[in-house]
Amino acid sequence: NSRMEIFFEYFQLILFLFLLAVGFFVGRFLESQHYVSIRKREKALKKILAFATRYPPNLVDAQECRLVTGAVVISSDYFKQFVASLRNLVGGRFRGYESLFDRARREAIIRMKEDARRAGYSLIVNVKFETTSLSAGRQGAMPSFEILAFGTAIRPQRGMIG
């Protein structure tokens, strides 16, 4: 009877480590694939300029403008959450969450630029970000956030930028 108990204890530990390793490798693969997609779409949208400055450059005479947005909801995976809980014990940077937010921020910008392109705009100014926690205060909930990128899209008059 005690041999079975020991077997099940080891089995649970091995299963936990196996699932943790699978989560790590699958997560790394999916993250690298997302970065490939991001770089490809950023390159395709490089002609749509986005600036954090409040006003357009002096060279631009706006024909018309409108608000454009791009939103993305991100959630941590179990592996990142597990490592983050270990990191909480010793403190310091957590690169796993940094890459998660980097991908989310870049994805939100891409979606905002796609919104501008669909409407025929080629310049975005006053770009801002808003972040909202969707799981704050929920015990045991997987951390998830919404990142919203928004700005004023401008269609310059003919002969100007764009």
Side-chain angles (χ1 to χ4, degrees):
N1 203 9
S2 68
R3 284 186 180 180
M4 283 301 263
E5 289 174 7
I6 293 172
F7 171 77
F8 280 119
E9 285 180 27
Y10 280 117
F11 177 76
Q12 288 177 339
L13 178 63
I14 291 170
L15 181 63
F16 171 74
L17 294 174
F18 173 75
L19 292 175
L20 202 58
V22 168
F24 172 76
F25 289 113
V26 169
R28 291 285 287 236
F29 174 75
L30 293 175
E31 186 173 277
S32 70
Q33 292 302 109
H34 190 213
Y35 269 122
V36 167
S37 169
I38 285 172
R39 285 190 291 275
K40 180 180 172 186
R41 290 179 295 142
E42 283 175 338
K43 190 175 182 178
L45 293 166
K46 71 181 179 184
K47 290 189 177 186
I48 298 177
L49 306 176
F51 299 100
T53 58
R54 191 169 182 180
Y55 301 105
N58 289 337
L59 301 173
V60 176
D61 231 354
Q63 180 179 339
E64 61 182 271
C65 59
R66 71 171 267 217
L67 176 71
V68 289
T69 63
V72 64
V73 174
I74 59 168
S75 181
S76 178
D77 58 48
Y78 182 76
F79 179 79
K80 283 186 170 126
Q81 187 177 4
F82 175 76
V83 174
S85 65
L86 294 177
R87 180 56 98 179
N88 282 337
L89 297 174
V90 294
R93 282 177 60 183
F94 181 52
R95 289 183 177 90
Y97 280 170
E98 288 176 0
S99 71
L100 189 69
F101 276 94
D102 176 59
R103 288 185 300 132
R105 180 188 52 79
R106 290 168 70 178
E107 184 71 37
I109 291 170
I110 288 169
R111 292 177 184 189
M112 178 184 64
K113 285 184 169 187
E114 288 172 341
D115 186 23
R117 184 187 62 197
R118 278 190 302 273
Y121 293 85
S122 60
L123 178 66
I124 306 169
V125 296
N126 202 24
V127 173
K128 306 276 189 231
F129 295 94
E130 187 72 32
T131 304
T132 305
S133 174
L134 302 176
S135 59
R138 292 191 195 129
Q139 192 71 333
M142 198 63 84
S144 55
F145 304 90
E146 178 189 32
I147 296 183
L148 172 69
F150 59 96
T152 304
I154 296 173
R155 184 177 298 130
Q157 290 185 356
R158 299 228 183 267
M160 296 291 197
I161 295 176

PDB file of all heavy atoms in Angstrom, residues 105-135:
ATOM      1  N   ARG A 105       1.683  45.299 -26.825  1.00  0.00           N
ATOM      2  CA  ARG A 105       1.785  46.708 -27.233  1.00  0.00           C
ATOM      3  C   ARG A 105       1.985  46.812 -28.741  1.00  0.00           C
ATOM      4  O   ARG A 105       1.292  47.581 -29.415  1.00  0.00           O
ATOM      5  CB  ARG A 105       2.951  47.378 -26.502  1.00  0.00           C
ATOM      6  CG  ARG A 105       3.148  48.835 -26.857  1.00  0.00           C
ATOM      7  CD  ARG A 105       4.429  49.393 -26.251  1.00  0.00           C
ATOM      8  NE  ARG A 105       5.605  48.596 -26.533  1.00  0.00           N
ATOM      9  CZ  ARG A 105       6.267  48.619 -27.690  1.00  0.00           C
ATOM     10  NH1 ARG A 105       5.872  49.391 -28.666  1.00  0.00           N
ATOM     11  NH2 ARG A 105       7.339  47.866 -27.870  1.00  0.00           N
ATOM     12  N   ARG A 106       2.880  46.001 -29.279  1.00  0.00           N
ATOM     13  CA  ARG A 106       3.128  46.033 -30.722  1.00  0.00           C
ATOM     14  C   ARG A 106       1.908  45.570 -31.510  1.00  0.00           C
ATOM     15  O   ARG A 106       1.595  46.123 -32.569  1.00  0.00           O
ATOM     16  CB  ARG A 106       4.365  45.190 -31.052  1.00  0.00           C
ATOM     17  CG  ARG A 106       5.643  45.853 -30.547  1.00  0.00           C
ATOM     18  CD  ARG A 106       6.837  44.961 -30.596  1.00  0.00           C
ATOM     19  NE  ARG A 106       7.272  44.705 -31.960  1.00  0.00           N
ATOM     20  CZ  ARG A 106       8.335  43.973 -32.247  1.00  0.00           C
ATOM     21  NH1 ARG A 106       9.074  43.431 -31.293  1.00  0.00           N
ATOM     22  NH2 ARG A 106       8.673  43.768 -33.507  1.00  0.00           N
ATOM     23  N   GLU A 107       1.203  44.580 -31.003  1.00  0.00           N
ATOM     24  CA  GLU A 107      -0.023  44.095 -31.653  1.00  0.00           C
ATOM     25  C   GLU A 107      -1.087  45.184 -31.654  1.00  0.00           C
ATOM     26  O   GLU A 107      -1.792  45.383 -32.646  1.00  0.00           O
ATOM     27  CB  GLU A 107      -0.533  42.842 -30.936  1.00  0.00           C
ATOM     28  CG  GLU A 107      -1.735  42.203 -31.583  1.00  0.00           C
ATOM     29  CD  GLU A 107      -1.429  41.515 -32.899  1.00  0.00           C
ATOM     30  OE1 GLU A 107      -0.362  40.907 -33.047  1.00  0.00           O
ATOM     31  OE2 GLU A 107      -2.297  41.604 -33.811  1.00  0.00           O
ATOM     32  N   ALA A 108      -1.226  45.912 -30.547  1.00  0.00           N
ATOM     33  CA  ALA A 108      -2.205  46.998 -30.475  1.00  0.00           C
ATOM     34  C   ALA A 108      -1.870  48.097 -31.487  1.00  0.00           C
ATOM     35  O   ALA A 108      -2.772  48.640 -32.142  1.00  0.00           O
ATOM     36  CB  ALA A 108      -2.275  47.566 -29.062  1.00  0.00           C
ATOM     37  N   ILE A 109      -0.588  48.423 -31.631  1.00  0.00           N
ATOM     38  CA  ILE A 109      -0.175  49.431 -32.622  1.00  0.00           C
ATOM     39  C   ILE A 109      -0.491  48.953 -34.033  1.00  0.00           C
ATOM     40  O   ILE A 109      -0.997  49.716 -34.863  1.00  0.00           O
ATOM     41  CB  ILE A 109       1.324  49.770 -32.474  1.00  0.00           C
ATOM     42  CG1 ILE A 109       1.565  50.523 -31.175  1.00  0.00           C
ATOM     43  CG2 ILE A 109       1.817  50.594 -33.656  1.00  0.00           C
ATOM     44  CD1 ILE A 109       3.037  50.694 -30.826  1.00  0.00           C
ATOM     45  N   ILE A 110      -0.205  47.697 -34.312  1.00  0.00           N
ATOM     46  CA  ILE A 110      -0.507  47.133 -35.637  1.00  0.00           C
ATOM     47  C   ILE A 110      -2.000  47.246 -35.930  1.00  0.00           C
ATOM     48  O   ILE A 110      -2.406  47.674 -37.009  1.00  0.00           O
ATOM     49  CB  ILE A 110      -0.042  45.666 -35.730  1.00  0.00           C
ATOM     50  CG1 ILE A 110       1.489  45.601 -35.807  1.00  0.00           C
ATOM     51  CG2 ILE A 110      -0.682  44.959 -36.924  1.00  0.00           C
ATOM     52  CD1 ILE A 110       2.047  44.198 -35.634  1.00  0.00           C
ATOM     53  N   ARG A 111      -2.824  46.879 -34.975  1.00  0.00           N
ATOM     54  CA  ARG A 111      -4.281  46.931 -35.169  1.00  0.00           C
ATOM     55  C   ARG A 111      -4.762  48.368 -35.348  1.00  0.00           C
ATOM     56  O   ARG A 111      -5.667  48.631 -36.146  1.00  0.00           O
ATOM     57  CB  ARG A 111      -4.993  46.251 -34.014  1.00  0.00           C
ATOM     58  CG  ARG A 111      -4.747  44.744 -34.010  1.00  0.00           C
ATOM     59  CD  ARG A 111      -5.385  44.061 -32.845  1.00  0.00           C
ATOM     60  NE  ARG A 111      -5.046  42.636 -32.845  1.00  0.00           N
ATOM     61  CZ  ARG A 111      -5.593  41.744 -32.057  1.00  0.00           C
ATOM     62  NH1 ARG A 111      -6.528  42.109 -31.192  1.00  0.00           N
ATOM     63  NH2 ARG A 111      -5.228  40.482 -32.109  1.00  0.00           N
ATOM     64  N   MET A 112      -4.136  49.315 -34.642  1.00  0.00           N
ATOM     65  CA  MET A 112      -4.482  50.731 -34.811  1.00  0.00           C
ATOM     66  C   MET A 112      -4.095  51.194 -36.216  1.00  0.00           C
ATOM     67  O   MET A 112      -4.867  51.880 -36.890  1.00  0.00           O
ATOM     68  CB  MET A 112      -3.762  51.576 -33.757  1.00  0.00           C
ATOM     69  CG  MET A 112      -4.018  53.070 -33.872  1.00  0.00           C
ATOM     70  SD  MET A 112      -3.053  54.031 -32.688  1.00  0.00           S
ATOM     71  CE  MET A 112      -1.386  53.695 -33.245  1.00  0.00           C
ATOM     72  N   LYS A 113      -2.906  50.808 -36.677  1.00  0.00           N
ATOM     73  CA  LYS A 113      -2.471  51.187 -38.029  1.00  0.00           C
ATOM     74  C   LYS A 113      -3.357  50.540 -39.093  1.00  0.00           C
ATOM     75  O   LYS A 113      -3.655  51.161 -40.120  1.00  0.00           O
ATOM     76  CB  LYS A 113      -1.010  50.790 -38.256  1.00  0.00           C
ATOM     77  CG  LYS A 113      -0.018  51.691 -37.561  1.00  0.00           C
ATOM     78  CD  LYS A 113       1.405  51.281 -37.923  1.00  0.00           C
ATOM     79  CE  LYS A 113       2.412  52.284 -37.469  1.00  0.00           C
ATOM     80  NZ  LYS A 113       3.764  51.955 -37.978  1.00  0.00           N
ATOM     81  N   GLU A 114      -3.788  49.308 -38.866  1.00  0.00           N
ATOM     82  CA  GLU A 114      -4.706  48.655 -39.808  1.00  0.00           C
ATOM     83  C   GLU A 114      -6.036  49.398 -39.876  1.00  0.00           C
ATOM     84  O   GLU A 114      -6.615  49.536 -40.953  1.00  0.00           O
ATOM     85  CB  GLU A 114      -4.921  47.188 -39.415  1.00  0.00           C
ATOM     86  CG  GLU A 114      -3.721  46.311 -39.687  1.00  0.00           C
ATOM     87  CD  GLU A 114      -3.856  44.902 -39.127  1.00  0.00           C
ATOM     88  OE1 GLU A 114      -4.701  44.672 -38.219  1.00  0.00           O
ATOM     89  OE2 GLU A 114      -3.100  44.025 -39.583  1.00  0.00           O
ATOM     90  N   ASP A 115      -6.507  49.879 -38.741  1.00  0.00           N
ATOM     91  CA  ASP A 115      -7.738  50.676 -38.693  1.00  0.00           C
ATOM     92  C   ASP A 115      -7.563  51.941 -39.525  1.00  0.00           C
ATOM     93  O   ASP A 115      -8.444  52.311 -40.318  1.00  0.00           O
ATOM     94  CB  ASP A 115      -8.081  51.018 -37.243  1.00  0.00           C
ATOM     95  CG  ASP A 115      -9.419  51.723 -37.067  1.00  0.00           C
ATOM     96  OD1 ASP A 115     -10.299  51.593 -37.949  1.00  0.00           O
ATOM     97  OD2 ASP A 115      -9.598  52.401 -36.040  1.00  0.00           O
ATOM     98  N   ALA A 116      -6.411  52.590 -39.378  1.00  0.00           N
ATOM     99  CA  ALA A 116      -6.135  53.805 -40.154  1.00  0.00           C
ATOM    100  C   ALA A 116      -6.043  53.495 -41.646  1.00  0.00           C
ATOM    101  O   ALA A 116      -6.605  54.219 -42.474  1.00  0.00           O
ATOM    102  CB  ALA A 116      -4.833  54.457 -39.673  1.00  0.00           C
ATOM    103  N   ARG A 117      -5.363  52.414 -41.989  1.00  0.00           N
ATOM    104  CA  ARG A 117      -5.206  52.053 -43.408  1.00  0.00           C
ATOM    105  C   ARG A 117      -6.547  51.741 -44.052  1.00  0.00           C
ATOM    106  O   ARG A 117      -6.820  52.177 -45.184  1.00  0.00           O
ATOM    107  CB  ARG A 117      -4.271  50.850 -43.545  1.00  0.00           C
ATOM    108  CG  ARG A 117      -4.006  50.488 -45.024  1.00  0.00           C
ATOM    109  CD  ARG A 117      -3.238  49.220 -45.174  1.00  0.00           C
ATOM    110  NE  ARG A 117      -4.029  48.127 -44.608  1.00  0.00           N
ATOM    111  CZ  ARG A 117      -3.549  46.955 -44.291  1.00  0.00           C
ATOM    112  NH1 ARG A 117      -2.276  46.689 -44.447  1.00  0.00           N
ATOM    113  NH2 ARG A 117      -4.324  46.017 -43.798  1.00  0.00           N
ATOM    114  N   ARG A 118      -7.406  51.008 -43.365  1.00  0.00           N
ATOM    115  CA  ARG A 118      -8.728  50.676 -43.911  1.00  0.00           C
ATOM    116  C   ARG A 118      -9.528  51.928 -44.247  1.00  0.00           C
ATOM    117  O   ARG A 118     -10.301  51.948 -45.192  1.00  0.00           O
ATOM    118  CB  ARG A 118      -9.519  49.813 -42.924  1.00  0.00           C
ATOM    119  CG  ARG A 118      -9.191  48.353 -42.963  1.00  0.00           C
ATOM    120  CD  ARG A 118     -10.177  47.517 -42.149  1.00  0.00           C
ATOM    121  NE  ARG A 118     -10.246  47.899 -40.745  1.00  0.00           N
ATOM    122  CZ  ARG A 118      -9.444  47.431 -39.793  1.00  0.00           C
ATOM    123  NH1 ARG A 118      -8.509  46.565 -40.099  1.00  0.00           N
ATOM    124  NH2 ARG A 118      -9.590  47.834 -38.543  1.00  0.00           N
ATOM    125  N   ALA A 119      -9.336  52.978 -43.456  1.00  0.00           N
ATOM    126  CA  ALA A 119     -10.081  54.226 -43.675  1.00  0.00           C
ATOM    127  C   ALA A 119      -9.336  55.181 -44.616  1.00  0.00           C
ATOM    128  O   ALA A 119      -9.837  56.270 -44.903  1.00  0.00           O
ATOM    129  CB  ALA A 119     -10.343  54.907 -42.339  1.00  0.00           C
ATOM    130  N   GLY A 120      -8.149  54.776 -45.088  1.00  0.00           N
ATOM    131  CA  GLY A 120      -7.413  55.592 -46.050  1.00  0.00           C
ATOM    132  C   GLY A 120      -6.504  56.654 -45.439  1.00  0.00           C
ATOM    133  O   GLY A 120      -6.150  57.616 -46.109  1.00  0.00           O
ATOM    134  N   TYR A 121      -6.115  56.480 -44.197  1.00  0.00           N
ATOM    135  CA  TYR A 121      -5.243  57.448 -43.523  1.00  0.00           C
ATOM    136  C   TYR A 121      -3.807  56.931 -43.522  1.00  0.00           C
ATOM    137  O   TYR A 121      -3.568  55.723 -43.499  1.00  0.00           O
ATOM    138  CB  TYR A 121      -5.713  57.685 -42.087  1.00  0.00           C
ATOM    139  CG  TYR A 121      -7.046  58.366 -42.016  1.00  0.00           C
ATOM    140  CD1 TYR A 121      -8.226  57.643 -42.096  1.00  0.00           C
ATOM    141  CD2 TYR A 121      -7.132  59.741 -41.892  1.00  0.00           C
ATOM    142  CE1 TYR A 121      -9.457  58.263 -42.034  1.00  0.00           C
ATOM    143  CE2 TYR A 121      -8.362  60.377 -41.830  1.00  0.00           C
ATOM    144  CZ  TYR A 121      -9.520  59.636 -41.908  1.00  0.00           C
ATOM    145  OH  TYR A 121     -10.732  60.259 -41.854  1.00  0.00           O
ATOM    146  N   SER A 122      -2.846  57.868 -43.531  1.00  0.00           N
ATOM    147  CA  SER A 122      -1.445  57.455 -43.596  1.00  0.00           C
ATOM    148  C   SER A 122      -0.581  58.036 -42.483  1.00  0.00           C
ATOM    149  O   SER A 122       0.619  57.822 -42.465  1.00  0.00           O
ATOM    150  CB  SER A 122      -0.853  57.865 -44.952  1.00  0.00           C
ATOM    151  OG  SER A 122      -0.937  59.271 -45.107  1.00  0.00           O
ATOM    152  N   LEU A 123      -1.178  58.756 -41.545  1.00  0.00           N
ATOM    153  CA  LEU A 123      -0.423  59.382 -40.472  1.00  0.00           C
ATOM    154  C   LEU A 123      -1.271  59.367 -39.207  1.00  0.00           C
ATOM    155  O   LEU A 123      -2.470  59.676 -39.245  1.00  0.00           O
ATOM    156  CB  LEU A 123      -0.072  60.832 -40.851  1.00  0.00           C
ATOM    157  CG  LEU A 123       0.673  61.677 -39.833  1.00  0.00           C
ATOM    158  CD1 LEU A 123       2.068  61.121 -39.589  1.00  0.00           C
ATOM    159  CD2 LEU A 123       0.767  63.113 -40.337  1.00  0.00           C
ATOM    160  N   ILE A 124      -0.651  58.987 -38.082  1.00  0.00           N
ATOM    161  CA  ILE A 124      -1.349  58.963 -36.796  1.00  0.00           C
ATOM    162  C   ILE A 124      -0.518  59.777 -35.809  1.00  0.00           C
ATOM    163  O   ILE A 124       0.684  59.551 -35.669  1.00  0.00           O
ATOM    164  CB  ILE A 124      -1.531  57.529 -36.259  1.00  0.00           C
ATOM    165  CG1 ILE A 124      -2.208  56.639 -37.305  1.00  0.00           C
ATOM    166  CG2 ILE A 124      -2.335  57.545 -34.961  1.00  0.00           C
ATOM    167  CD1 ILE A 124      -2.184  55.163 -36.943  1.00  0.00           C
ATOM    168  N   VAL A 125      -1.159  60.726 -35.143  1.00  0.00           N
ATOM    169  CA  VAL A 125      -0.475  61.526 -34.130  1.00  0.00           C
ATOM    170  C   VAL A 125      -1.184  61.364 -32.791  1.00  0.00           C
ATOM    171  O   VAL A 125      -2.297  60.839 -32.727  1.00  0.00           O
ATOM    172  CB  VAL A 125      -0.401  63.023 -34.512  1.00  0.00           C
ATOM    173  CG1 VAL A 125       0.446  63.222 -35.769  1.00  0.00           C
ATOM    174  CG2 VAL A 125      -1.778  63.624 -34.687  1.00  0.00           C
ATOM    175  N   ASN A 126      -0.517  61.835 -31.742  1.00  0.00           N
ATOM    176  CA  ASN A 126      -1.062  61.788 -30.395  1.00  0.00           C
ATOM    177  C   ASN A 126      -1.409  60.353 -29.979  1.00  0.00           C
ATOM    178  O   ASN A 126      -2.448  60.088 -29.379  1.00  0.00           O
ATOM    179  CB  ASN A 126      -2.289  62.706 -30.279  1.00  0.00           C
ATOM    180  CG  ASN A 126      -2.569  63.117 -28.856  1.00  0.00           C
ATOM    181  OD1 ASN A 126      -1.669  63.121 -28.026  1.00  0.00           O
ATOM    182  ND2 ASN A 126      -3.815  63.460 -28.576  1.00  0.00           N
ATOM    183  N   VAL A 127      -0.497  59.417 -30.295  1.00  0.00           N
ATOM    184  CA  VAL A 127      -0.708  58.013 -29.970  1.00  0.00           C
ATOM    185  C   VAL A 127      -0.567  57.818 -28.456  1.00  0.00           C
ATOM    186  O   VAL A 127       0.396  58.271 -27.837  1.00  0.00           O
ATOM    187  CB  VAL A 127       0.295  57.109 -30.718  1.00  0.00           C
ATOM    188  CG1 VAL A 127       0.182  55.665 -30.259  1.00  0.00           C
ATOM    189  CG2 VAL A 127       0.077  57.208 -32.213  1.00  0.00           C
ATOM    190  N   LYS A 128      -1.546  57.166 -27.888  1.00  0.00           N
ATOM    191  CA  LYS A 128      -1.575  56.896 -26.446  1.00  0.00           C
ATOM    192  C   LYS A 128      -1.925  55.423 -26.225  1.00  0.00           C
ATOM    193  O   LYS A 128      -2.453  54.754 -27.108  1.00  0.00           O
ATOM    194  CB  LYS A 128      -2.641  57.754 -25.747  1.00  0.00           C
ATOM    195  CG  LYS A 128      -2.539  59.226 -25.991  1.00  0.00           C
ATOM    196  CD  LYS A 128      -1.564  59.859 -25.053  1.00  0.00           C
ATOM    197  CE  LYS A 128      -1.649  61.372 -25.186  1.00  0.00           C
ATOM    198  NZ  LYS A 128      -0.395  61.981 -25.395  1.00  0.00           N
ATOM    199  N   PHE A 129      -1.657  54.973 -25.001  1.00  0.00           N
ATOM    200  CA  PHE A 129      -1.982  53.602 -24.607  1.00  0.00           C
ATOM    201  C   PHE A 129      -2.793  53.628 -23.327  1.00  0.00           C
ATOM    202  O   PHE A 129      -2.564  54.454 -22.451  1.00  0.00           O
ATOM    203  CB  PHE A 129      -0.712  52.774 -24.363  1.00  0.00           C
ATOM    204  CG  PHE A 129       0.115  52.575 -25.586  1.00  0.00           C
ATOM    205  CD1 PHE A 129       1.159  53.439 -25.872  1.00  0.00           C
ATOM    206  CD2 PHE A 129      -0.135  51.533 -26.454  1.00  0.00           C
ATOM    207  CE1 PHE A 129       1.930  53.270 -26.995  1.00  0.00           C
ATOM    208  CE2 PHE A 129       0.624  51.358 -27.582  1.00  0.00           C
ATOM    209  CZ  PHE A 129       1.663  52.223 -27.857  1.00  0.00           C
ATOM    210  N   GLU A 130      -3.705  52.701 -23.227  1.00  0.00           N
ATOM    211  CA  GLU A 130      -4.500  52.516 -22.019  1.00  0.00           C
ATOM    212  C   GLU A 130      -4.439  51.024 -21.688  1.00  0.00           C
ATOM    213  O   GLU A 130      -4.641  50.184 -22.563  1.00  0.00           O
ATOM    214  CB  GLU A 130      -5.949  52.951 -22.265  1.00  0.00           C
ATOM    215  CG  GLU A 130      -6.815  52.964 -21.061  1.00  0.00           C
ATOM    216  CD  GLU A 130      -6.495  54.097 -20.104  1.00  0.00           C
ATOM    217  OE1 GLU A 130      -6.076  55.182 -20.561  1.00  0.00           O
ATOM    218  OE2 GLU A 130      -6.651  53.880 -18.899  1.00  0.00           O
ATOM    219  N   THR A 131      -4.151  50.715 -20.432  1.00  0.00           N
ATOM    220  CA  THR A 131      -4.061  49.321 -20.005  1.00  0.00           C
ATOM    221  C   THR A 131      -5.072  49.083 -18.896  1.00  0.00           C
ATOM    222  O   THR A 131      -5.166  49.869 -17.964  1.00  0.00           O
ATOM    223  CB  THR A 131      -2.647  48.998 -19.488  1.00  0.00           C
ATOM    224  OG1 THR A 131      -1.702  49.320 -20.496  1.00  0.00           O
ATOM    225  CG2 THR A 131      -2.515  47.535 -19.134  1.00  0.00           C
ATOM    226  N   THR A 132      -5.820  47.995 -19.014  1.00  0.00           N
ATOM    227  CA  THR A 132      -6.823  47.649 -18.017  1.00  0.00           C
ATOM    228  C   THR A 132      -6.618  46.209 -17.582  1.00  0.00           C
ATOM    229  O   THR A 132      -6.491  45.320 -18.424  1.00  0.00           O
ATOM    230  CB  THR A 132      -8.243  47.789 -18.609  1.00  0.00           C
ATOM    231  OG1 THR A 132      -8.399  49.104 -19.127  1.00  0.00           O
ATOM    232  CG2 THR A 132      -9.303  47.514 -17.568  1.00  0.00           C
ATOM    233  N   SER A 133      -6.592  45.993 -16.279  1.00  0.00           N
ATOM    234  CA  SER A 133      -6.501  44.635 -15.763  1.00  0.00           C
ATOM    235  C   SER A 133      -7.902  44.028 -15.754  1.00  0.00           C
ATOM    236  O   SER A 133      -8.835  44.619 -15.216  1.00  0.00           O
ATOM    237  CB  SER A 133      -5.930  44.644 -14.345  1.00  0.00           C
ATOM    238  OG  SER A 133      -5.972  43.337 -13.816  1.00  0.00           O
ATOM    239  N   LEU A 134      -8.039  42.871 -16.357  1.00  0.00           N
ATOM    240  CA  LEU A 134      -9.345  42.205 -16.412  1.00  0.00           C
ATOM    241  C   LEU A 134      -9.513  41.191 -15.289  1.00  0.00           C
ATOM    242  O   LEU A 134     -10.613  40.704 -15.061  1.00  0.00           O
ATOM    243  CB  LEU A 134      -9.519  41.503 -17.756  1.00  0.00           C
ATOM    244  CG  LEU A 134      -9.401  42.395 -18.990  1.00  0.00           C
ATOM    245  CD1 LEU A 134      -9.505  41.560 -20.250  1.00  0.00           C
ATOM    246  CD2 LEU A 134     -10.464  43.476 -18.968  1.00  0.00           C
ATOM    247  N   SER A 135      -8.416  40.873 -14.602  1.00  0.00           N
ATOM    248  CA  SER A 135      -8.501  39.853 -13.557  1.00  0.00           C
ATOM    249  C   SER A 135      -8.120  40.388 -12.188  1.00  0.00           C
ATOM    250  O   SER A 135      -7.910  39.609 -11.264  1.00  0.00           O
ATOM    251  CB  SER A 135      -7.593  38.682 -13.924  1.00  0.00           C
ATOM    252  OG  SER A 135      -6.256  39.134 -14.059  1.00  0.00           O
TER     253      SER A 135
END
